[in-house]
Amino acid sequence: MTWGVVVFPGSNNDRDAVHVLRHVVGVDVVEVWHEDRELAGVDALVLPGGFSYGDYLRAGAIAATAPVMDAVRALAAAGKPVLGICNGFQILTEAGLLPGTLVRNAGLRFRCRPVWVRVDSQRTPFTAALPVGTVLQMPIAHGEGAYLAPPDEVAALDTSGRIVFRYCDPSGRVTPEANPNGSVAEIAGVANATGNVVGLMPHPERASEAVLGSTDGLRLFASAVAWLHQQPQAVSAGAALASQGGSR
């Protein structure tokens, strides 16, 4: 099993993602340069956090036009797991692979601290092994992490099980007080229609070893690895879930 980690100019969590996947999860990893146009042999992909191209235009906007993104789209269309973390989430929304947008945090302050999120959907490779209601502690580090979408789109995402994570307190209660950035409906992560593309603002790669204070993030990678081991049945199952509206 081979995972890819895309490296854009300005990525700063790519090494963390490679370390966790290679040395903690134990899978093969290839680093993919932003100018690459193929992802041959890659079974799953991570778009890491950072400040791609300096985010000088808008977070993720320039990276969304990088040459590698056509290959990312092809991989996503093939049903393979794609995870966007923080800046990676912003890139996926800018590229149209995920709905909604990420804007400046409420209060216009950069937020860097641990948060709790509740798993609200199992219909993705990264949460298939995590029961709905599971509470995870992971850190955030962003200035543009407030998730926005029109009310009717948020309702549709909720109905179809595409809201994957919501900010919550340690007991799992979703409250405005637990929301660190003003995201609509306390949304911390969403999925595409088929569930194989997921974006989230918290950093699972920074919560994958006990020395970091939490191993909750490791559960996302382990879930996806287990999901991939079920291939090719898992791809068909994912497509079936999509057609059924998910298993939320």
Side-chain angles (χ1 to χ4, degrees), residues 121 123 156-162 193 238-248:
S121 175
R123 59 180 299 253
L157 292 173
D158 197 13
T159 301
S160 59
R162 294 171 62 187
L241 280 174
S243 65
Q244 294 165 13
S247 62
R248 179 174 179 267

Side-chain angles (χ1 to χ4, degrees), residues 38-76:
E38 293 186 0
L39 289 167
V42 171
D43 300 299
L45 188 70
V46 173
L47 276 66
F51 301 89
S52 53
Y53 299 92
D55 280 344
Y56 290 118
L57 177 61
R58 187 176 62 249
I62 300 175
T65 67
V68 73
M69 292 306 296
D70 285 340
V72 175
R73 289 187 180 86
L75 194 81

Side-chain angles (χ1 to χ4, degrees), residues 163-199:
I163 298 176
V164 185
F165 303 104
R166 279 189 167 94
Y167 297 108
C168 66
D169 67 17
S171 68
R173 292 187 307 133
V174 173
T175 68
E177 292 75 20
N179 184 340
N181 51 34
S183 290
V184 64
E186 282 68 60
I187 292 172
V190 299
N192 67 343
T194 49
N196 62 302
V197 180
V198 173

Side-chain angles (χ1 to χ4, degrees), residues 3-183:
W3 285 59
V5 175
V6 180
V7 181
F8 298 96
S11 295
N12 61 18
N13 289 160
D14 50 313
R15 296 285 181 177
D16 301 315
V18 169
H19 165 77
V20 168
L21 289 167
R22 180 174 293 155
H23 300 295
V24 182
V25 179
V27 297
D28 294 332
V29 184
V30 294
E31 296 178 53
V32 181
W33 188 231
H34 68 117
E35 293 180 328
D36 291 347
R37 297 181 180 275
E38 293 186 0
L39 289 167
V42 171
D43 300 299
L45 188 70
V46 173
L47 276 66
F51 301 89
S52 53
Y53 299 92
D55 280 344
Y56 290 118
L57 177 61
R58 187 176 62 249
I62 300 175
T65 67
V68 73
M69 292 306 296
D70 285 340
V72 175
R73 289 187 180 86
L75 194 81
K80 296 188 178 182
V82 177
L83 181 66
I85 302 169
C86 194
N87 192 231
F89 185 12
Q90 295 160 341
I91 294 168
L92 290 173
T93 59
E94 289 286 343
L97 286 166
L98 287 175
T101 188
L102 282 308
V103 301
R104 294 289 300 274
N105 297 343
L108 305 181
R109 297 184 62 185
F110 189 90
R111 304 286 181 179
C112 182
R113 63 179 176 83
V115 298
W116 287 267
V117 296
R118 188 183 71 189
V119 175
D120 271 12
S121 175
Q122 282 188 286
R123 59 180 299 253
T124 85
F126 303 97
T127 55
L130 303 177
V132 169
T134 298
V135 177
L136 307 172
Q137 185 189 50
M138 296 181 283
I140 57 168
H142 58 248
E144 297 179 48
Y147 183 82
L148 293 183
D152 58 339
E153 186 167 24
V154 172
L157 292 173
D158 197 13
T159 301
S160 59
R162 294 171 62 187
I163 298 176
V164 185
F165 303 104
R166 279 189 167 94
Y167 297 108
C168 66
D169 67 17
S171 68
R173 292 187 307 133
V174 173
T175 68
E177 292 75 20
N179 184 340
N181 51 34
S183 290

